[in-house]
Amino acid sequence: MTNSQPRTKNIAITGCSGFIGSHILERLLTTSDYHIYGIDISESKIRHLINNKSFTFCHHSITDTPKIREILSQCETVVSLAALCNPSLYNTKPVDVITINFTNALEIIKMCCEFKCRLIQFSTCEVYGKTLAGLMCSNKPDDYILKEDQTNLIMGPVSTQRWSYASAKQLLERIIYAYGFEYGLNYTIVRPFNFIGPQMDYIPGSDGEGVPRVLACFMKSLLYNKPLKLVDGGLSRRCFTFIKDAVDAFVQILENPEISNQQIFNIGNPKNEITIKDLAYLMIELYEQIAPRGSFTAGTEIISSLEFYGKGYEDSDRRVPDISKIQNMLGWKPETDLRKALQITIEHYFRKYGTTAEN
Ligand code: UGA
């Protein structure tokens, strides 16, 4: 467990083998001299990094408090990424969703206070909930552009369990803020806006089961020549952010604690806004340029959210980040347009899963 580096060069990452964690890990191991303690229950996305001399893989659950304490006591910075962040679970496994995203994450916060670690907590754009624009049929930018320190957070009723995740993350943000206020915890809260890229989620039936997020759902349909399902017509909008841009933003936050501490930052790409329906058409167009001619013919089909997700699902209508705060304070802005981000991502999925799907 011990290494010869001073504590200031040690970083712990919980959820290091998830989509975001695996990309952050790879970047830090190739471009910095930190020693990384990566904590995860799986290593499937980081096998190629396991033997790196600047990396210690800690095969533990974040519920294993004694082990996590031992690791965090040796680190100066903790990046908290372990989460259940898949909408299909919010209304079907709400107890797990609240426990992992709030109760277990709270233990990490307490340890950061005890060991005087700096905390970089990944939250979610979903804390904004629904937009005023959607509720009031308004088109005013102030009613749908989401600002870290001004926008109201609007959730649905308790029985609409879609909001179990957003509420857990909102309470987590509030308690981090409170620990900063009362006990001097140094923290940065990150709100990711629909990051996409290679290694996102899984393909059901190949390397996971259940309903992943929209990009992987659509990839499964493309690879298996099945219709892309447009939930309630696919009219909701999202701003998709390429993972490389997102990791660039993270590195700016990590490297500039004096600017980033006690702050909340949106990380997103407002120029990449698209309806889910148009995302489906764009992915079909790009897939047809990569896959053998005629291998995708299935098109799209509309499905109700009740049939797709079950009772208690409700959607976020629109999520456009205001990114002026991170741009002004840290000089970050996203570079990758949606078409390019999707091209790279689709190519990756096709290389990784294309042959399996054909068999
Ligand atoms: C999810 C998480 O809840 C957020 O915390 C997270 O920040 C976000 O993903 C993200 O990736 O950053 P959401 O955008 O609702 O939020 O997740 P998706 O499953 O990717 O759904 C996006 C939209 O596509 C929704 O309107 C959904 O109904 C729709 N969808 C999904 C389809 O139309 N078809 C599908 O096959 C899957």
Side-chain angles (χ1 to χ4, degrees):
M1 179 59 59
T2 48
N3 75 69
S4 54
Q5 293 243 65
R7 183 174 176 241
T8 48
K9 295 307 286 182
N10 292 343
I11 297 179
I13 303 179
T14 72
C16 68
S17 185
F19 166 51
I20 301 175
S22 63
H23 283 273
I24 286 179
L25 183 63
E26 179 143 18
R27 175 75 67 86
L28 294 183
L29 290 177
T30 45
T31 63
S32 77
D33 60 353
Y34 294 109
H35 189 92
I36 314 289
Y37 290 95
I39 304 161
D40 209 303
I41 46 173
S42 155
E43 58 189 65
S44 61
K45 292 184 178 168
I46 55 164
R47 286 209 176 92
H48 58 298
L49 302 170
I50 290 279
N51 294 323
N52 190 300
K53 63 178 181 5
S54 298
F55 180 48
T56 305
F57 180 59
C58 310
H59 193 269
H60 307 303
S61 157
I62 53 162
T63 58
D64 190 342
T65 306
K67 290 278 183 346
I68 305 297
R69 280 181 65 80
E70 194 188 334
I71 298 163
L72 266 52
S73 68
Q74 296 181 54
C75 294
E76 186 182 59
T77 301
V78 175
V79 182
S80 178
L81 268 160
L84 278 188
C85 54
N86 189 326
S88 66
L89 302 172
Y90 305 166
N91 58 323
T92 54
K93 290 272 172 202
V95 173
D96 286 351
V97 166
I98 294 170
T99 304
I100 291 178
N101 293 305
F102 178 73
T103 317
N104 296 340
L106 177 58
E107 292 308 310
I108 307 273
I109 296 167
K110 290 181 186 166
M111 289 180 217
C112 286
C113 273
E114 182 182 344
F115 299 123
K116 301 213 174 329
C117 302
R118 174 184 181 211
L119 171 68
I120 302 180
Q121 175 68 54
F122 275 74
S123 179
T124 171
C125 58
E126 204 158 295
V127 293
Y128 293 108
K130 313 179 198 191
T131 64
L132 264 185
L135 289 177
M136 303 175 54
C137 298
S138 138
N139 233 341
K140 286 197 289 189
D142 275 353
D143 292 343
Y144 65 82
I145 295 184
L146 307 170
K147 298 185 178 153
E148 296 94 333
D149 304 312
Q150 280 132 286
T151 302
N152 290 311
L153 312 178
I154 309 171
M155 312 278 142
V158 170
S159 56
T160 310
Q161 298 203 81
R162 159 63 191 244
W163 305 109
S164 60
Y165 171 73
S167 308
K169 286 286 199 181
Q170 187 192 144
L171 188 56
L172 190 70
E173 288 196 15
R174 290 192 188 275
I175 203 151
I176 290 170
Y177 190 95
Y179 270 104
F181 177 75
E182 282 195 47
Y183 300 109
L185 172 70
N186 277 326
Y187 67 85
T188 306
I189 292 169
V190 170
R191 293 182 180 159
F193 281 69
N194 290 77
F195 296 173
I196 54 169
Q199 309 222 100
M200 187 177 180
D201 292 342
Y202 56 89
I203 294 294
S206 290
D207 53 2
E209 291 306 329
V211 181
R213 283 171 290 182
V214 66
L215 186 111
C217 285
F218 285 178
M219 278 315 308
K220 159 104 189 189
S221 297
L222 291 166
L223 291 162
Y224 286 80
N225 195 22
K226 301 279 184 232
L228 280 66
K229 294 189 173 164
L230 304 177
V231 173
D232 294 335
L235 303 178
S236 298
R237 294 162 174 268
R238 296 290 187 269
C239 290
F240 291 95
T241 310
F242 191 48
I243 188 69
K244 181 194 167 296
D245 289 334
V247 174
D248 289 345
F250 167 80
V251 170
Q252 288 304 317
I253 290 169
L254 177 69
E255 295 288 309
N256 293 286
E258 66 296 341
I259 300 174
S260 313
N261 279 348
Q262 325 307 113
Q263 299 295 341
I264 303 175
F265 291 112
N266 288 338
I267 300 182
N269 190 335
K271 291 190 182 156
N272 280 353
E273 192 184 22
I274 190 167
T275 63
I276 299 302
K277 184 163 115 186
D278 286 342
L279 175 76
Y281 296 145
L282 181 55
M283 285 182 68
I284 292 171
E285 179 196 324
L286 296 173
Y287 184 77
E288 284 173 339
Q289 291 168 11
I290 293 166
R293 216 186 151 99
S295 58
F296 182 77
T297 53
T300 60
E301 83 184 15
I302 292 177
I303 185 167
S304 74
S305 51
L306 184 63
E307 195 182 334
F308 193 77
Y309 288 112
K311 199 166 171 283
Y313 179 81
E314 189 176 36
D315 210 352
S316 282
D317 52 318
R318 191 170 188 186
R319 297 182 188 151
V320 184
D322 181 316
I323 54 167
S324 56
K325 184 174 174 185
I326 189 165
Q327 201 163 342
N328 294 337
M329 291 177 74
L330 289 164
W332 174 83
K333 66 175 182 357
E335 307 285 349
T336 316
D337 67 29
L338 184 60
R339 182 171 274 268
K340 183 79 198 158
L342 286 172
Q343 260 162 355
I344 295 171
T345 308
I346 293 170
E347 266 168 24
H348 164 86
Y349 275 91
F350 187 71
R351 274 200 314 274
K352 183 168 177 192
Y353 301 98
T355 13
T356 342
E358 277 164 29
N359 295 333

